[in-house]
Amino acid sequence: MVSDELPCPEEELPVNVPYHVAIIMDGNGRWAQSRGLPRQAGHEAGTENLRRIIRACVEFGVKVLTIYAFSTENWGRPRWEIRALLHILENVIDKELNELYAEGVQLRHLGELDRLPAGLQRKVRRAIERTQHNDRLIVNVAFNYGGRDEIVRAVQHIVAEGVPANEITEDLISSHLYTAGLPDPDLIIRTSGEQRISNFLIWQGAYSEHFYTPVLWPDFDREEFRKALVAFGVRERRFGTLEPHRN
Ligand code: IPE
Ligand code: IPE
Ligand code: MG
């Protein structure tokens, strides 16, 4: 850990730490553009930043981290950018898997692998298998993920299973989503100043708290993350009732 990431004695540590944090990692392109660099350099810097945030999750006691890395709509970007993003995912698996494994991270994937190159699909599956018994931090990587697509696929499976209409419940739908078995996100963070969900966890996020910051994703470091968790800690959640709910 580098020295600027060490907590200072007077720093306020988060209380009521969210169990599940989901992040829309936005602003890589603008980060690169503002430095006169190609967009790809922003994606690389953003990937580098992810290590810091994974470490910070372990430090602060977050148990599930879901990161939005590539949406079903991102296929509409130029081919070179898509290729660069696929390449980065492959590189992360090749270079970081041993360390993630050693840190106790369990990797999961949200989305469909079918549109990815066959070799990359195999690597993702192997990474999931290798880390499946880790339990320090679950990291869900949403890649080729779309919330609407996820719900459509869940409904298709339910229909294919022949479930009668009157047996379709919220729990049944939840259990057919990619996040089956995991609690809903307590906090959704979006960097880069945009204030929208962009098709991310639209079912699971029904009662999530939102935190928006103008900071671009590659600059969203441990300190910015700590501030987001501190802000979450003083929110009062009511889930439609009159009772404040303790996180
Ligand atoms: C987020 O950064 C990463 C992905 C969507 C893959 P962007 O690439 O959207 O960066 P901006 O929004 O153009 O700055
Ligand atoms: C959302 O960011 C998707 C990811 C961070 C992977 P976008 O940059 O694609 O979203 P829009 O287009 O601004 O809504
Ligand atoms: Mg963007």
Side-chain angles (χ1 to χ4, degrees):
M1 194 185 264
V2 294
S3 60
D4 67 355
E5 289 179 344
L6 285 171
C8 8
E10 71 280 9
E11 109 179 339
E12 184 186 355
L13 287 171
V15 289
N16 303 321
V17 172
Y19 189 91
H20 181 174
V21 177
I23 307 184
I24 303 174
M25 311 184 291
D26 200 12
N28 294 347
R30 279 163 281 170
W31 183 92
Q33 218 167 6
S34 70
R35 286 166 173 73
L37 298 169
R39 290 179 59 81
Q40 184 174 344
H43 295 312
E44 277 157 15
T47 307
E48 190 60 34
N49 187 47
L50 190 51
R51 291 148 154 253
R52 299 196 281 192
I53 297 306
I54 288 177
R55 251 183 263 140
C57 282
V58 172
E59 179 193 345
F60 293 130
V62 171
K63 297 306 286 180
V64 182
L65 171 69
T66 300
I67 47 160
Y68 205 8
F70 191 93
S71 72
T72 46
E73 288 71 37
N74 288 149
W75 293 107
R77 293 195 179 195
R79 281 175 68 118
W80 57 263
E81 180 157 353
I82 295 170
R83 225 176 283 133
L85 290 165
L86 290 170
H87 183 69
I88 285 175
L89 176 63
E90 185 154 9
N91 237 349
V92 168
I93 298 175
D94 289 344
K95 298 205 174 125
E96 310 288 341
L97 185 60
N98 283 340
E99 199 177 322
L100 289 167
Y101 176 79
E103 284 171 357
V105 169
Q106 180 188 132
L107 284 172
R108 297 191 187 191
H109 171 244
L110 311 186
E112 284 304 307
L113 287 179
D114 52 6
R115 266 186 92 168
L116 309 191
L120 181 53
Q121 290 186 30
R122 274 196 297 276
K123 283 187 186 180
V124 173
R125 286 203 185 91
R126 272 207 302 268
I128 293 168
E129 213 178 285
R130 169 132 189 250
T131 60
Q132 65 182 325
H133 299 301
N134 280 349
D135 59 4
R136 202 161 181 205
L137 172 69
I138 294 175
V139 176
N140 294 313
V141 181
F143 199 103
N144 189 22
Y145 171 88
R148 288 185 173 182
D149 181 60
E150 177 180 40
I151 293 169
V152 168
R153 285 171 194 269
V155 172
Q156 286 172 341
H157 282 124
I158 290 168
V159 171
E161 287 162 17
V163 179
N166 62 356
E167 285 178 23
I168 297 177
T169 60
E170 292 188 8
D171 283 347
L172 186 79
I173 292 177
S174 293
S175 71
H176 283 75
L177 301 177
Y178 300 118
T179 48
L182 292 174
D184 288 338
D186 301 291
L187 174 65
I188 298 179
I189 297 171
R190 183 169 189 152
T191 58
S192 90
E194 312 299 349
Q195 300 193 14
R196 54 176 171 261
I197 280 298
S198 300
N199 205 9
F200 187 45
L201 301 177
I202 54 176
W203 174 279
Q204 301 89 332
Y207 266 103
S208 302
E209 296 294 318
H210 289 194
F211 182 89
Y212 295 101
T213 168
V215 176
L216 303 174
W217 171 249
D219 294 328
F220 187 81
D221 57 9
R222 174 195 177 277
E223 176 55 13
E224 296 297 331
F225 187 57
R226 185 189 66 78
K227 284 193 238 167
L229 298 188
V230 167
F232 172 84
V234 297
R235 300 260 181 106
E236 192 181 275
R237 303 174 82 189
R238 286 185 293 277
F239 298 93
T241 73
L242 300 180
E243 304 299 318
H245 172 92
R246 277 269 140 253
N247 297 312

